Amino acid sequence: MDASPDGGTDSLADAAYGLIRNRVLDGDLEVGAPVSVLALATDLKMSRSPVRYAVERLLSERLLRRVSGTITVAAPDRYELLDSLAVRTQLEALAARLAAPRVDEQTLAELTGIHDRFRQAVQDRDQDAARRADADFHSAIQELAGNECLAESLERVRTQVILAAYSTAWITSRGPALLEHERVLRALQDQDGQSAEIAMIRHLNNLTTRITSEWRAQDTAEEATGRRRAAPRASGAR
């Protein structure tokens, strides 16, 4: 894309990218929903060029997918989610370790404020607010780590986890996640990089365990439903 002398074209493309990406990650554009460049451009009151650029960028990041000529919000399968979680765990652990010595009064206040929002959302059973606060907590630690290469790698893998979370009962993870965030925050407050790294690994390993446990429960329920539906047919065949 050719940029205008004042960088306006690039700025519009970046703005479109941010707006569309946030709509996906906030759940406003649901998993599996079709994505139209024309409709988005009209809604965002932009020309199609920056929106098309943003959509292509989101396709390259696997936040959107093109199937049979149609662009939709990506729906990561279970194997993709587990792969993303494994990578995310190691990257976020590194981010926590790098962030710990960089914590000062201002950054600690910001992290504490985000954590307080998360706690309030959990108490209010506000799933959307809790999800946003959870994402903000992890993003703040990522930014505090001060490593651009790590941030870029982590940003891409986190989007896959966030997308997949919409297809799980994430609400069941909020209580345990609140306690796990508190342990991470405490280690960061102490500027203890090793403890922050361990706390983050435990948090994300526990998240993986909760998700896989839910999958097993879903599969068991579906199998039981299938057996109940098949029983009358089998009985009638005699």
Side-chain angles (χ1 to χ4, degrees):
M1 177 184 296
D2 294 331
S4 63
D6 62 354
T9 304
D10 284 345
S11 297
L12 281 174
D14 288 341
Y17 165 80
L19 289 169
I20 298 169
R21 184 176 184 276
N22 285 342
R23 289 189 178 192
V24 173
L25 296 182
D26 287 344
D28 295 331
L29 285 172
E30 297 180 353
V31 169
V35 174
S36 164
V37 170
L38 178 58
L40 283 171
T42 301
D43 191 34
L44 296 174
K45 296 181 173 56
M46 292 184 175
S47 67
R48 279 177 283 181
S49 182
V51 172
R52 186 179 297 110
Y53 173 91
V55 167
E56 289 297 328
R57 183 174 171 185
L58 292 167
L59 282 165
S60 72
E61 294 180 0
R62 298 191 300 166
L63 205 58
L64 302 179
R65 287 183 178 172
R66 184 182 281 112
V67 180
S68 301
T70 301
I71 298 174
T72 63
V73 177
D77 62 28
R78 292 182 178 184
Y79 293 109
E80 289 174 315
L81 175 57
L82 290 176
D83 286 347
S84 296
L85 279 168
V87 175
R88 180 192 176 188
T89 297
Q90 297 305 313
L91 292 177
E92 293 231 27
L94 175 58
R97 178 159 62 85
L98 294 177
R102 298 166 62 92
V103 172
D104 55 23
E105 289 186 7
Q106 179 179 346
T107 54
L108 180 60
E110 291 172 357
L111 285 167
T112 301
I114 295 170
H115 182 65
D116 289 342
R117 282 199 287 115
F118 187 45
R119 180 190 296 108
Q120 188 62 53
V122 170
Q123 292 174 352
D124 295 342
R125 301 186 66 79
D126 186 337
Q127 184 167 339
D128 291 337
R131 185 181 282 122
R132 285 193 294 271
D134 176 71
D136 289 346
F137 184 77
H138 288 273
S139 293
I141 294 172
Q142 169 188 314
E143 183 177 349
L144 185 57
N147 187 303
E148 185 174 346
C149 181
L150 173 62
E152 290 177 356
S153 300
L154 190 49
E155 194 65 29
R156 174 171 295 193
V157 75
R158 281 181 60 231
T159 60
Q160 300 300 306
V161 177
I162 292 170
L163 272 183
Y166 290 119
S167 62
T168 65
W170 187 84
I171 191 170
T172 61
S173 294
R174 296 183 308 184
L178 179 61
L179 296 176
E180 291 157 9
H181 279 200
E182 287 176 356
R183 295 186 186 104
V184 173
L185 183 59
R186 194 177 308 121
L188 291 173
Q189 181 178 3
D190 293 340
Q191 295 187 314
D192 186 340
Q194 184 176 6
S195 294
E197 180 178 29
I198 292 171
M200 186 64 78
I201 288 174
R202 288 176 176 169
H203 168 43
L204 294 174
N205 281 345
N206 288 342
L207 173 62
T208 302
T209 299
R210 289 191 289 268
I211 289 174
T212 54
S213 294
E214 181 182 331
W215 286 342
R216 286 194 295 271
Q218 289 174 350
D219 292 343
T220 299
E222 289 172 3
E223 289 171 4
T225 300
R227 286 194 297 269
R228 286 195 297 270
R229 290 175 177 172
R233 291 197 297 271
S235 176
R238 293 192 183 95

